Amino acid sequence: MNAAVMRKVVNGLIAHPNELDRKRIERGLSSRKRYRYVSPNVKPVRSGYLIESPCCSGNIDKDGGLIEVALIHHDSRSARWKLFRKDHARGLWEFYSIYQRLTAAIDELNTDPERVFWQ
């Protein structure tokens, strides 16, 4: 019998965060439209990735410190990606949108048509 058919599926493995997708996000952010002159950090967090960047506009941190730009969360039940934006005034994460593919979430973050991420 085929070994692939006989293989047991291991439950409970956590797919995200992982280094491969963290690097994909990091590389993908290099084609963003706003604040292209800063270098964002992509940090692994539970079930996803936190994107931080120096604040160059002074809108959020007048001293130019690191601010939280976005949170990308992988929902293992639906196998979809959820993108969150930071409401800096209230200090809360707000749901922005849901995507079937990580690349679609990165594309949205890069274009930022409503200027809610790169402020």
Side-chain angles (χ1 to χ4, degrees), residues 1-10:
M1 188 173 258
N2 189 338
V5 174
M6 295 179 61
R7 184 180 63 164
K8 265 190 171 177
V9 175
V10 179

Side-chain angles (χ1 to χ4, degrees):
M1 188 173 258
N2 189 338
V5 174
M6 295 179 61
R7 184 180 63 164
K8 265 190 171 177
V9 175
V10 179
N11 290 329
L13 290 179
I14 299 173
H16 300 283
N18 65 60
E19 190 62 15
L20 179 65
D21 284 329
R22 188 188 74 74
K23 285 290 194 185
R24 284 178 61 204
I25 295 167
E26 201 171 72
R27 276 192 310 275
L29 291 176
S30 65
S31 62
R32 67 189 177 279
K33 303 286 185 217
R34 301 187 192 285
Y35 300 112
R36 294 182 311 175
Y37 43 84
V38 296
S39 298
N41 299 320
V42 180
K43 293 185 176 181
V45 295
R46 186 176 180 175
S47 298
Y49 308 89
L50 172 67
I51 294 118
E52 297 176 318
S53 179
C55 180
C56 293
S57 67
N59 292 336
I60 296 165
D61 184 344
K62 291 182 186 347
D63 297 326
L66 276 182
I67 61 165
E68 295 171 323
V69 174
L71 179 64
I72 301 175
H73 179 266
H74 183 261
D75 184 340
S76 59
R77 288 191 176 174
S78 67
R80 300 197 192 276
W81 294 92
K82 295 179 180 179
L83 181 59
F84 295 83
R85 66 170 294 276
K86 185 72 177 241
D87 179 340
H88 294 281
R90 298 184 320 168
L92 300 172
W93 287 105
E94 292 182 345
F95 174 75
Y96 181 78
S97 192
I98 194 163
Y99 306 90
Q100 290 184 359
R101 300 176 46 104
L102 177 58
T103 53
I106 297 168
D107 289 346
E108 184 72 21
L109 191 57
N110 279 338
T111 56
D112 193 14
E114 299 168 12
R115 198 175 174 196
V116 296
F117 299 104
W118 306 97
Q119 300 176 26

